[in-house]
Amino acid sequence: MSIKLGKFNQLEVVKRVDFGLYLDGGEEGEILLPSRYVPEGCEVGDMLNVFLYLDMEERLIATTQTPLAQVGQFAYLQVAWVNQYGAFLDWGLMKDLFVPFREQKARMEKGRRYMVHVHIDEESYRIVASARVERYLSTERPDYLPGEEVDIQVWQRTDLGFKVIIDDKYAGLLYENEVFRALEPGMRTTAFVKQVREDGKIDLSLQKTGFERIEDFSKTLFEYIRTRGGRINLNDKSPADEIYAVFGVSKKTFKKGVGDLYKKRLILLSDGGITLADAEAE
């Protein structure tokens, strides 16, 4: 059995001691799970799902705590402290995550947050992080299909929009004019693939391609108003985030749908919202 440093492992409890439990680490020998992390009622022979990392003495140790990132993942973490060797990030464990100066784009400052990649340093065998994010993104052409749903983490804002990290592996882009709700670095959400360009770059959308069709949304909007007594408080001047919270579409799509219904004389508009024409007549 081989263990995976910096990740969760299923290990068997082999011994109980005053200060915790020892787990079977295979070739690595027995690994300590300190008392404060031992689940209530745990016995020898039980299997535990534990995260493995190195303690202050560089010894392999287990915890049942969940870190903010595992090896191979990206995360937006806050600097807890800085010394002459580098910065130390709070990643949710007793021992902070080290970022050497050579892995910082600019000197990290205490209290600020940075997007980093978590990995094992090949020389020291330590779990470390790097702010040189681009180095750890795949350069292979992905096989995503248009319309495919993917998990993303917001990376940084640019002149074009928002750079994101897709499935902890690829870089992607959400264009500014298609972002209709608040996004912040580190935020995790889902998006839909618009296209994979010839150079491998990935364009994304926050809503599924095809739902932007005016007629489709017009029907949805009409039925929504009808089932709510013929009146809603939203209108084409409502904030984009309120529109998205209700309908899951951009303000642009919402306004086009409203315009379509208005041209068909199915609705009436006012500062207070939208009313079905039939409801007003009643």
Side-chain angles (χ1 to χ4, degrees):
M1 178 184 70
S2 60
I3 60 97
K4 296 179 180 178
L5 180 64
K7 296 188 176 183
F8 278 93
N9 296 253
Q10 287 280 344
L11 301 182
E12 183 181 359
V13 178
V14 294
K15 186 189 304 180
R16 177 180 291 276
V17 292
D18 293 340
F19 44 87
L21 301 175
Y22 276 106
L23 311 176
D24 180 10
E27 296 177 358
E28 299 294 334
E30 295 178 348
I31 301 172
L32 176 65
L33 175 67
S35 296
R36 58 179 169 271
Y37 305 129
V38 174
E40 186 176 351
C42 187
E43 301 290 345
V44 172
D46 288 350
M47 298 296 294
L48 293 180
N49 190 37
V50 293
F51 182 80
L52 299 181
Y53 69 114
L54 302 178
D55 66 10
M56 300 295 184
E57 305 298 325
E58 303 300 325
R59 296 172 300 192
L60 196 59
I61 196 164
T63 179
T64 50
Q65 288 183 304
T66 300
L68 297 176
Q70 299 183 53
V71 163
Q73 294 181 337
F74 296 87
Y76 192 60
L77 303 177
Q78 185 173 29
V79 177
W81 54 291
V82 178
N83 68 8
Q84 66 270 33
Y85 303 109
F88 295 82
L89 310 179
D90 178 5
W91 65 323
L93 300 181
M94 288 283 290
K95 182 185 177 184
D96 294 323
L97 183 62
F98 181 50
V99 186
F101 284 128
R102 68 177 182 274
E103 296 297 331
Q104 301 176 25
K105 291 183 175 180
R107 289 295 174 96
M108 290 181 166
E109 301 176 15
K110 180 180 177 181
R112 292 192 61 183
R113 293 179 179 273
Y114 300 86
M115 183 65 71
V116 296
H117 179 263
V118 183
H119 57 277
I120 296 175
D121 181 73
E122 294 181 358
E123 295 182 5
S124 66
Y125 193 59
R126 294 177 180 177
I127 303 173
V128 297
S130 172
R132 300 185 181 279
V133 174
E134 295 88 346
R135 182 189 301 169
Y136 298 96
L137 291 167
S138 176
T139 57
E140 297 178 0
R141 180 180 172 81
D143 56 1
Y144 294 126
L145 298 175
E148 186 171 345
E149 184 173 354
V150 292
D151 293 319
I152 65 168
Q153 183 174 191
V154 180
W155 175 9
Q156 61 185 6
R157 189 165 194 159
T158 71
D159 292 338
L160 292 176
F162 289 87
K163 281 186 178 182
V164 302
I165 299 171
I166 306 170
D167 293 334
D168 274 313
K169 188 173 183 180
Y170 301 104
L173 181 66
L174 290 164
Y175 287 96
E176 177 73 30
N177 64 348
E178 297 178 0
V179 174
F180 45 86
R181 59 188 172 100
L183 295 178
E184 298 291 339
M187 181 184 295
R188 291 184 179 272
T189 185
T190 57
F192 299 91
V193 176
K194 290 180 64 178
Q195 64 173 334
V196 178
R197 298 177 179 271
E198 289 299 323
D199 58 5
K201 293 181 179 178
I202 308 167
D203 294 337
L204 301 167
S205 173
L206 288 175
Q207 63 189 40
K208 195 165 187 177
T209 304
F211 197 56
E212 289 281 356
R213 290 182 296 178
I214 301 172
E215 287 189 7
D216 286 354
F217 180 67
S218 295
K219 294 175 183 177
T220 300
L221 177 59
F222 184 85
E223 285 301 309
Y224 182 86
I225 301 172
R226 186 184 63 79
T227 58
R228 281 156 181 78
R231 294 178 178 84
I232 62 171
N233 295 327
L234 294 172
N235 59 27
D236 57 0
K237 294 187 173 98
S238 298
D241 57 347
E242 291 184 14
I243 291 170
Y244 181 79
V246 175
F247 296 105
V249 300
S250 66
K251 186 169 182 176
K252 180 180 178 182
T253 298
F254 179 79
K255 290 177 72 172
K256 285 182 177 179
V258 170
D260 183 57
L261 293 178
Y262 185 75
K263 288 177 183 177
K264 293 175 181 176
R265 300 182 180 181
L266 295 174
I267 60 172
L268 300 173
L269 304 178
S270 69
D271 292 338
I274 302 173
T275 304
L276 292 186
D278 290 346
E280 187 69 18
E282 295 174 3

